[in-house]
Amino acid sequence: MFRSAKVVMESRSLEVHLVDGTYELFRHYYALPSARDRNGREVAAVRGVLASVLGMIRGGATHVAVATDHVIESFRNGLWPGYKTGEGIEPDLLAQFELLEEVLSAAGLVVWPMVEFEADDALAAASTIAARDARVERVIICTPDKDLAQCVRGARVVQLNRRTRVTLDEAGVIQKFGVSPESIPDYLALVGDAADGYPGLPGWGAKSSAAVLAKYVHLESIPPDWREWRVNAAHASALAQTLSDERDRALLFRTLATLQTGIALFDDVDELEWQGPRPGFEELGARLDAAATVAKKGNDGAR
């Protein structure tokens, strides 16, 4: 299955695919039956991600990079004690993180294992760099994570959920969240993000946050006096009081939600072009091919 990854790639407009490797690993871990290699190591999720990414290439993707969380913790853990950690991740899943990076690199893909920053930061930074190249018609950020919606620009930088096959351009982000991409960090600061471990502000739900931010865009621009808002937000007086009382926390949560785009990952999109597998991939591919299916896992812990 994996021993020969060479494919014929058709000539087409230059698109850059940026893949959230951590999400893909979680997704495949909970979707696939368990499989262990000859050493008893769980490899099903890695095998699934590899097949999926190579499938993208067979489908015509030419410039592909994968960002991973080499460790779950990042600089954000120093800002907010409740921020997500690796605690509670199943050992068989956690043990596949480094293997995924090794296998994808051997397959000839560009991989960015993140330590200080998160995979989401790498995707944001890479989309910014790629979008500067006039040759690039479209940058496709492959993840359903809502914080990546802040990176969407028009129809040129879009977000793709590969599981549901739904693509969000800027109009799609506005339709889904009620705010433009530039307001997504402010929106998440108010409503919170349970997956990342910060709660948002009490009373600020999705509808009220979208109504206010659709008009004022950023937290600083929201008038302290709710009577000036003139938007359809329930209990506006209480919301204004909460925002006043917890403004510092809201700004902190926005910092947590704001992705870092200044990370130097590559200089030229040509560096992301897939050139075929590297030496050693055949052996790794054979090892994955030989893994024995053990038992079906549930999907209750899907990320």
Side-chain angles (χ1 to χ4, degrees), residues 287-299:
R287 171 182 159 192
L288 294 177
D289 277 342
T293 300
V294 179
K296 182 73 176 178
K297 290 190 291 287
N299 61 0

Side-chain angles (χ1 to χ4, degrees), residues 71-280:
V71 296
I72 300 299
E73 292 76 14
S74 70
F75 77 93
R76 292 178 176 87
N77 292 89
L79 299 176
W80 177 250
Y83 201 73
K84 65 182 178 182
T85 69
E87 184 178 355
I89 297 178
E90 295 186 33
D92 276 344
L93 171 55
L94 197 59
Q96 293 184 73
F97 277 53
E98 289 191 32
L99 178 61
L100 177 67
E101 295 161 3
E102 177 187 2
V103 168
L104 292 179
S105 294
L109 292 150
V110 173
V111 180
W112 299 309
M114 306 308 291
V115 177
E116 178 185 358
F117 300 100
E118 298 178 41
D120 287 354
D121 294 309
L123 296 173
S127 69
T128 300
I129 298 169
R132 293 185 190 132
D133 193 317
R135 298 173 297 165
V136 176
E137 285 200 11
R138 193 165 65 148
V139 180
I140 305 169
I141 306 173
C142 303
T143 180
D145 285 4
K146 50 185 172 288
D147 52 356
L148 265 301
Q150 67 192 266
C151 301
V152 172
R153 297 292 182 270
R156 187 158 181 260
V157 180
V158 300
Q159 183 177 4
L160 168 65
N161 183 333
R162 296 186 62 231
R163 183 179 65 82
T164 62
R165 300 182 181 179
V166 172
T167 299
L168 294 180
D169 57 10
E170 191 158 346
V173 170
I174 295 171
Q175 182 178 16
K176 180 175 182 178
F177 296 101
V179 299
S180 64
E182 66 177 312
S183 293
I184 290 294
D186 302 79
Y187 173 85
L188 293 175
L190 293 176
V191 303
D193 190 338
D196 283 343
Y198 58 92
L201 301 191
W204 282 87
K207 290 184 178 179
S208 57
S209 299
V212 175
L213 289 171
K215 182 173 182 179
Y216 293 106
V217 185
H218 296 301
L219 299 175
E220 297 90 341
S221 301
I222 301 173
D225 188 345
W226 64 273
R227 287 166 294 193
E228 297 180 29
W229 293 1
R230 294 183 175 85
V231 299
N232 185 19
H235 311 294
S237 176
L239 295 179
Q241 188 61 53
T242 298
L243 182 57
S244 176
D245 293 342
E246 302 196 30
R247 180 171 293 272
D248 288 345
R249 176 172 283 198
L251 294 175
L252 170 60
F253 291 159
R254 187 177 64 181
T255 297
L256 298 178
T258 300
L259 299 178
Q260 303 298 302
T261 59
I263 308 169
L265 297 171
F266 61 96
D267 295 319
D268 192 296
V269 293
D270 291 338
E271 299 171 39
L272 309 184
E273 186 174 6
W274 189 73
Q275 302 290 340
R278 297 185 174 95

